[in-house]
């Protein structure tokens, strides 16, 4: 009897110290399901790489919003583990995004994917809050007023506290919060998700890009946003993903990094733009994932895509490189009729070797993460 009590105590001690060691989200008040998701993803990234696809549930290679449909499922028989959604123009109070997707339908698909045990990630190509207000005659060029309008370096400063667009920016964040509040399951439990705003910071092609604002302004923008959603709006179901475009060093990667106390994931976007891609990706994933693990953060290759039409991109580049490191997921961007990336020959939504990637024991799709449930892990 004594022995079995001792054994039980040892086991309990071992168990509690094991689960104590598992990292937690930056938000100290993160909901139970959000903590579970973070811990599940932490464990999963040691096991394999999840597949994610932007707008997978909203439209595809040759169809538009058919409930339950997905290019990934059509092609492989399974949904992606990670479903990506985009919020651009939600800030303007529009019903549809800059990609013509209905926000009501996004909310429905967030619920559907959560219900089937999948993971949600959200991006936000927010309009340029400063230049979008200019009269047409003063608007600079084709991208005028959009997220891609980099004609002014005053934008971030103008929306921070004290700036002339600060009030307007608060209404944008209000709209975001109102939308996030609709992410609830049938019992009213908030649905956890990954939020990746102000992405690809190392590039200078968005108004929050590295040469378009100072590092301090970028940090302040991030901190203001998180504090607004978390503290003012009481949203505790968000995992925040820091993100850059291609980078050559850790120093470059961390420029403007907003802080471990608000960030949950260190992610990287890198598209294949030529022969050097494989070695550049290898090098960047090496230092980004090392840093993430040291800081007890999740990781992802949160946007990528191949240009080469020939086979082998999935099985000769993405899979071998990503599975060398603890990369949580690899997400490919949206399927549009005119997409430059992944336009495979013929009618298939993916190139043929995507099937080999799917069948590999190292890739994880929805069925691979349904059991055990990522939202109930202690
Ligand atoms: C970009 C492109 C755009 C799209 C935007 C937001 O990379 O795909 O066409 O509007 O993402 O989804």
């Amino acid at each position: 009897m004594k022995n079995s009590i001792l054994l039980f105590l040892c086991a309990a001690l071992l168990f509690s110290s094991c689960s104590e060691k598992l990292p937690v989200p930056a938000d100290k008040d993160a909901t139970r399901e959000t903590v579970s998701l973070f811990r599940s993803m932490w464990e999963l990234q040691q096991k394999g790489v999840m597949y994610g696809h932007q707008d997978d549930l909203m439209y595809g290679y040759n169809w538009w919003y058919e409930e339950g449909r997905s290019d990934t499922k059509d092609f492989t028989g399974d949904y992606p583990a990670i479903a990506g959604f985009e919020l651009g123009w939600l800030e303007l109070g529009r019903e549809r995004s800059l990609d013509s997707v209905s926000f009501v339908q996004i909310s429905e698909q967030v619920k559907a994917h959560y219900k089937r045990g999948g993971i949600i990630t959200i991006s936000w190509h927010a309009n340029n809050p400063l230049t979008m207000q200019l009269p047409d005659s003063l608007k600079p060029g084709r991208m005028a007023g959009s997220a891609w309008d980099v004609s002014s370096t005053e934008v971030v400063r103008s929306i921070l506290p004290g700036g002339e667009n600060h009030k307007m920016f608060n209404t944008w964040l209000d709209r975001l919060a109102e939308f996030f509040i609709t992410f609830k399951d049938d019992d009213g439990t908030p649905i956890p998700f990954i939020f990746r705003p102000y992405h690809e910071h190392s590039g200078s092609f968005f108004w929050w890009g590295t040469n378009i604002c100072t590092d301090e302004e970028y940090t302040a923008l991030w901190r203001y946003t998180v504090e607004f959603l978390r503290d003012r709006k009481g949203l505790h179901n968000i995992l925040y993903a820091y993100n850059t475009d291609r980078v050559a060093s850790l120093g470059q990667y961390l420029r403007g990094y907003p802080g471990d106390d608000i960030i949950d994931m260190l992610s990287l976007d890198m598209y294949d733009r030529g022969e050097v891609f494989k070695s550049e990706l290898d090098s960047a994933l090496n230092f980004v994932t090392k840093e993430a693990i040291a800081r007890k953060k999740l990781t992802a290759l949160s946007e990528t895509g191949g240009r080469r039409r020939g086979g082998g991109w999935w099985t000769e580049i993405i899979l071998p490189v990503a599975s060398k490191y603890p990369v949580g997921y690899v997400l490919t961007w949206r399927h549009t009729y005119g997409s430059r990336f992944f336009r495979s020959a013929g009618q298939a939504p993916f190139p043929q070797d995507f099937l080999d990637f799917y069948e590999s024991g190292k890739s994880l799709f929805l069925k691979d993460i349904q059991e055990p449930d990522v939202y109930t892990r202690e």
Side-chain angles (χ1 to χ4, degrees):
M1 183 61 181
K2 224 185 197 167
N3 274 352
S4 60
I5 291 176
L6 209 65
L7 210 65
F8 173 78
L9 283 177
C10 283
L13 203 69
L14 198 72
F15 179 76
S16 70
S17 65
C18 274
S19 69
E20 257 165 39
K21 268 192 210 139
L22 277 179
V24 287
D27 180 355
K28 303 271 168 299
D29 297 318
T31 65
R32 206 165 48 110
E33 292 74 16
T34 311
V35 175
S36 289
L37 174 63
F38 185 96
R39 290 183 154 173
S40 301
M41 289 184 76
W42 176 263
E43 287 177 329
L44 283 168
Q45 71 187 14
Q46 329 288 332
K47 289 192 186 135
V49 57
M50 289 188 272
Y51 175 63
H53 189 205
Q54 183 72 1
D55 276 350
D56 188 82
L57 306 171
M58 309 312 297
Y59 53 83
Y61 184 64
N62 57 6
W63 55 275
W64 188 263
Y65 202 62
E66 294 173 30
E67 252 191 285
R69 193 163 175 193
S70 136
D71 271 354
T72 310
K73 186 158 181 281
D74 281 0
F75 197 67
T76 65
D78 197 4
Y79 286 104
I82 312 274
F85 300 93
E86 162 63 32
L87 297 190
W89 289 7
L90 179 80
E91 71 279 4
L92 308 179
R94 301 276 182 94
E95 279 174 21
R96 285 180 182 270
S97 75
L98 76 170
D99 300 323
S100 311
V101 177
S102 146
F103 291 117
V104 170
Q105 288 171 350
I106 289 182
S107 182
E108 281 166 13
Q109 289 310 308
V110 162
K111 283 173 214 165
H113 201 58
Y114 172 77
K115 203 167 184 174
R116 55 172 89 97
I119 299 170
I120 289 113
T121 180
I122 307 260
S123 54
W124 184 29
H125 289 72
N127 250 18
N128 185 317
L130 190 145
T131 59
M132 64 172 253
Q133 298 183 60
L134 294 174
D136 283 348
S137 58
L138 293 179
K139 274 200 180 126
R142 204 166 59 86
M143 294 314 219
S146 75
W148 292 267
D149 183 341
V150 291
S151 59
S152 164
T153 53
E154 295 296 307
V155 186
V156 175
R157 192 202 44 76
S158 86
I159 56 176
L160 289 172
E164 62 274 28
N165 292 313
H166 183 61
K167 266 201 179 140
M168 185 184 90
F169 187 62
N170 280 347
T171 67
W172 286 18
L173 294 179
D174 266 332
R175 288 185 178 126
L176 228 57
E178 268 168 40
F179 186 63
F180 290 156
I181 287 166
T182 69
F183 295 3
K184 291 212 168 100
D185 73 4
D186 297 340
D187 303 325
T189 306
I191 296 174
F193 63 96
I194 300 156
F195 186 36
R196 185 175 63 96
Y198 319 128
H199 64 300
E200 300 180 358
H201 174 239
S202 63
S204 291
F205 34 80
F206 294 123
W207 53 260
W208 54 84
T210 195
N211 294 327
I212 321 299
C213 62
T214 66
D215 291 348
E216 291 71 30
E217 284 167 351
Y218 184 75
T219 298
L221 173 64
W222 251 107
R223 298 196 68 86
Y224 186 80
T225 303
V226 174
E227 280 156 18
F228 191 100
L229 297 173
R230 185 193 60 196
D231 305 337
R232 218 184 284 186
K233 296 292 167 176
L235 292 166
H236 297 289
N237 53 326
I238 308 181
L239 297 176
Y240 292 94
Y242 173 72
N243 177 249
T244 70
D245 191 46
R246 59 186 57 242
V247 280
S249 68
L250 182 63
Q252 189 191 2
Y253 181 80
L254 291 174
R255 273 192 59 182
Y257 179 67
D260 284 345
D261 59 328
I262 60 166
I263 292 296
D264 297 296
M265 174 184 281
L266 301 192
S267 68
L268 175 78
D269 288 5
M270 210 187 252
Y271 285 84
D272 184 345
R273 300 192 188 276
E275 288 310 315
V276 286
F277 176 65
K278 189 171 180 180
S279 60
E280 280 180 355
L281 180 70
D282 196 317
S283 147
L285 285 181
N286 185 6
F287 61 71
V288 170
T289 55
K290 232 179 237 157
E291 188 67 13
I293 300 303
R295 291 171 187 257
K296 298 219 175 333
K297 303 297 176 191
L298 304 173
T299 71
L301 176 57
S302 42
E303 278 187 44
T304 187
R307 270 190 176 219
R308 286 168 233 181
R309 275 153 204 256
W313 191 80
W314 284 99
T315 46
E316 287 161 28
I317 299 180
I318 289 299
L319 191 60
V321 176
S323 53
K324 263 171 90 172
Y325 306 107
V327 175
Y329 66 85
V330 165
L331 179 143
T332 51
W333 206 241
R334 68 204 200 99
H335 282 177
T336 55
Y337 301 116
S339 175
R340 280 174 304 157
F341 296 100
F342 284 121
R343 199 73 204 274
S344 47
Q347 287 308 303
F350 291 94
Q352 207 48 37
D353 88 315
F354 185 69
L355 273 185
D356 297 330
F357 169 79
Y358 168 71
E359 270 151 23
S360 154
K362 293 176 190 159
S363 69
L364 305 170
F365 283 65
L366 181 71
K367 282 179 195 150
D368 303 309
I369 66 158
Q370 278 172 321
E371 185 66 47
D373 182 342
V374 294
Y375 299 104
T376 55
R377 200 216 174 287
E378 288 299 315

